[in-house]
Amino acid sequence: MAPTPCQLCHSSRALILRPKNHQKLCKACFLLAFETEIHNTITTHLLFAPGERIAIGASGGKDSTVLASVLKTLNERYGYGLDLTLLSIDEGIRGYRDDSLDTVKRNAMQYDMPLTIVGYAELYGWTMDQVVAQVGKKGNCTYCGVFRRQALDRGAAKLGIRHVVTGHNADDIAETVLMNLLRGDLPRLARATNIVTESAASDTKRSKPLKYAYEKEIVLYAHHRALDYFTTECIYSPEAFRGSARTLIKSLERVRPSAILDLVRSGEDMAKLVPVEVTGQATGREGLMVEEDEEGTGGCGSTNGSASGGEMTEMETQLAVSEEADSRETEIISAGVKGQRHDRIGNGASLNKGRKPRKLHTQHMGQCVRCGYLSSQDICKACVLLEGLNKNRPKVDIHIGVAEEDSNATLNSKTEGLQQLLG
């Protein structure tokens, strides 16, 4: 059997089946097509200005590593004139973040970009290991997501940079859309679909160049470019609500590969239905920066894993199964009045009689009275969370060196001993 030719160049042998559209491409055409699509996203949405300084949120995972690599390539290829730098957040998770930061440091040398690392300990006086030891694993992603978002903005302010790009991909956006649908949070859903978020209350804006890139294609790109990225899942992420949404979307993707972009586009369409006064969307802007979903992405969770050659084979096998399942998909239409949905038969007005319309809460963005960070309340989420943590902290400071703090059990035993002495 003759090898299948690439559907773009028609000369080289096809090695890759694109998850997004099932095109059969050779390695060179796939890499060029992926980079060209990111370039089109950047130019269509006018994400950058010539000479602009850009901070790339770098976690060491596949998304941020691919983002840094692609931006460096496109900046040189198309002459964007951007000044790129890497900005990393150290959440203080031993056995996870310390290892991933080693990867970021290698990326900084590989891409010849300066690197700045900002830690939770220096900003908030808490590491995530300490937070989890106090609050437990359920809800810890809420703390981490809120803290990380502020840390990125504060790190950018420290560098004098007003634009941060993150590695959020199409899968991440689809998860956020689904999560907000399940929560019934239409205003947040509307804001989360924006590719650019900014506000008059903050000097920092954010953008997502990989918004329409599939996670599987990001893995393929990283594999064929032989990029160096971190592979381990965050030890605290399995309890996150986002993980449940991710599992559901992966199940949908196996049956219908276009489900991810369908969710993203649906979220964008629904966002247009939300009144401007509810979203607070600024005139003439793509969107308004708000405190996004607490269980943030781009820095934790299973999406930061790497892939081996065996995983590439498994991925293409799964795609083949999805294609076969898609051909068996059947649309079921409920019997009823012709041209009407079954839930709209009869007098719709009588069904809604006496029912009060749901009130959508308007958000007005300002600054936290304590830390000055962007917030829709007088006190931002981070300060509220820190207040709760600090209230439960021992009243006598406990100083533990890095070498001594081998585990949370060590810290707890020292705290218990101190309490017995005071008692």
Side-chain angles (χ1 to χ4, degrees):
M1 183 177 178
T4 303
C6 172
Q7 292 181 347
L8 289 183
C9 68
H10 305 290
S11 57
S12 300
R13 180 179 180 178
L15 300 175
I16 300 170
L17 181 67
R18 289 198 69 178
K20 181 180 290 186
N21 53 20
H22 284 191
Q23 270 188 321
K24 297 175 181 179
L25 305 178
C26 65
K27 175 181 174 180
C29 285
F30 168 74
L31 296 175
L32 181 60
F34 183 88
E35 293 165 354
T36 302
E37 288 179 3
I38 305 304
H39 170 67
N40 291 338
T41 299
I42 291 171
T43 55
T44 300
H45 296 277
L46 303 176
L47 296 188
F48 306 130
E52 190 175 11
R53 295 185 66 200
I54 305 295
I56 302 172
S59 67
K62 64 178 178 355
D63 298 317
S64 60
T65 302
V66 167
L67 177 61
S69 175
V70 170
L71 285 183
K72 176 178 174 61
T73 299
L74 297 181
N75 193 37
E76 296 171 351
R77 180 182 299 167
Y78 297 103
Y80 291 165
L82 302 178
D83 182 4
L84 301 174
T85 185
L86 298 177
L87 175 60
S88 291
I89 307 302
D90 182 3
E91 297 95 342
I93 304 176
R94 299 187 65 182
Y96 169 67
R97 183 54 71 207
D98 46 0
D99 292 338
S100 70
L101 287 177
D102 290 338
T103 303
V104 177
K105 292 172 184 177
R106 293 196 300 270
N107 292 158
M109 292 187 291
Q110 292 161 359
Y111 304 146
D112 192 24
M113 294 182 187
L115 168 64
T116 298
I117 301 175
V118 180
Y120 283 7
E122 65 177 283
L123 292 178
Y124 311 115
W126 288 82
T127 66
M128 275 309 299
D129 284 340
Q130 293 170 334
V131 171
V132 173
Q134 180 147 309
V135 305
K137 287 190 176 182
K138 287 193 175 181
N140 65 84
C141 287
T142 295
Y143 288 83
C144 194
V146 172
F147 290 167
R148 188 190 314 114
R149 180 172 183 82
Q150 281 208 20
L152 277 173
D153 285 350
R154 291 182 179 183
K158 179 181 178 181
L159 296 171
I161 295 177
R162 297 187 175 184
H163 191 168
V164 176
V165 294
T166 57
H168 293 86
N169 56 48
D171 297 58
D172 297 326
I173 305 299
E175 290 164 11
T176 303
V177 169
L178 180 59
M179 289 167 64
N180 287 310
L181 279 175
L182 295 174
R183 289 169 173 161
D185 194 341
L186 191 59
R188 187 184 293 273
L189 181 149
R191 295 188 295 267
T193 56
N194 290 329
I195 193 170
V196 176
T197 51
E198 59 183 320
S199 168
S202 174
D203 291 332
T204 306
K205 74 173 182 178
R206 296 187 177 214
S207 60
K208 312 178 189 81
L210 301 182
K211 177 182 176 182
Y212 300 108
Y214 271 38
E215 182 181 47
K216 287 182 178 179
E217 296 201 355
I218 290 173
V219 173
L220 285 168
Y221 184 88
H223 174 74
H224 289 289
R225 280 286 188 209
L227 300 183
D228 180 10
Y229 63 99
F230 189 59
T231 179
T232 305
E233 177 183 352
C234 176
I235 59 178
Y236 299 138
S237 67
E239 299 292 340
F241 176 42
R242 180 174 291 274
S244 301
R246 179 180 299 132
T247 300
L248 177 56
I249 288 177
K250 294 304 181 187
S251 298
L252 293 172
E253 185 188 10
R254 283 194 291 270
V255 177
R256 183 183 179 89
S258 65
I260 293 174
L261 274 185
D262 291 343
L263 270 171
V264 174
R265 300 297 186 187
S266 296
E268 292 173 340
D269 290 341
M270 284 185 283
K272 298 174 184 177
L273 304 177
V274 182
V276 174
E277 59 271 16
V278 173
T279 61
Q281 191 166 329
T283 305
R285 297 286 190 181
E286 279 283 340
L288 176 69
M289 186 175 74
V290 296
E291 296 177 31
E292 291 180 345
D293 177 62
E294 298 86 30
E295 295 165 2
T297 57
C300 71
S302 58
T303 56
N304 283 335
S306 71
S308 62
E311 188 172 338
M312 295 300 102
T313 303
E314 182 182 351
M315 180 186 296
E316 295 204 3
T317 302
Q318 291 175 347
L319 288 173
V321 173
S322 298
E323 186 176 25
E324 181 182 354
D326 189 47
S327 65
R328 299 196 300 267
E329 193 172 282
T330 304
E331 182 178 4
I332 301 175
I333 302 175
S334 175
V337 180
K338 185 177 181 180
Q340 276 191 304
R341 282 173 45 178
H342 69 281
D343 58 344
R344 292 182 179 174
I345 298 175
N347 187 357
S350 63
L351 294 176
N352 295 323
K353 187 176 181 180
R355 181 180 298 176
K356 294 182 179 180
R358 180 180 177 183
K359 182 179 179 180
L360 294 176
H361 298 285
T362 304
Q363 282 199 346
H364 300 284
M365 304 308 296
Q367 291 182 325
C368 174
V369 296
R370 292 186 182 177
C371 68
Y373 184 73
L374 176 70
S375 175
S376 59
Q377 307 294 329
D378 291 337
I379 301 176
C380 70
K381 287 183 180 179
C383 288
V384 171
L385 294 174
L386 283 172
E387 183 178 11
L389 289 171
N390 291 327
K391 280 183 178 179
N392 294 321
R393 210 169 207 171
K395 297 185 182 300
V396 179
D397 290 337
I398 303 173
H399 300 283
I400 298 177
V402 175
E404 293 178 274
E405 192 181 353
D406 292 329
S407 65
N408 289 330
T410 303
L411 179 60
N412 290 335
S413 64
K414 289 179 179 291
T415 304
E416 291 171 0
L418 179 62
Q419 289 175 341
Q420 291 175 0
L421 289 174
L422 294 176

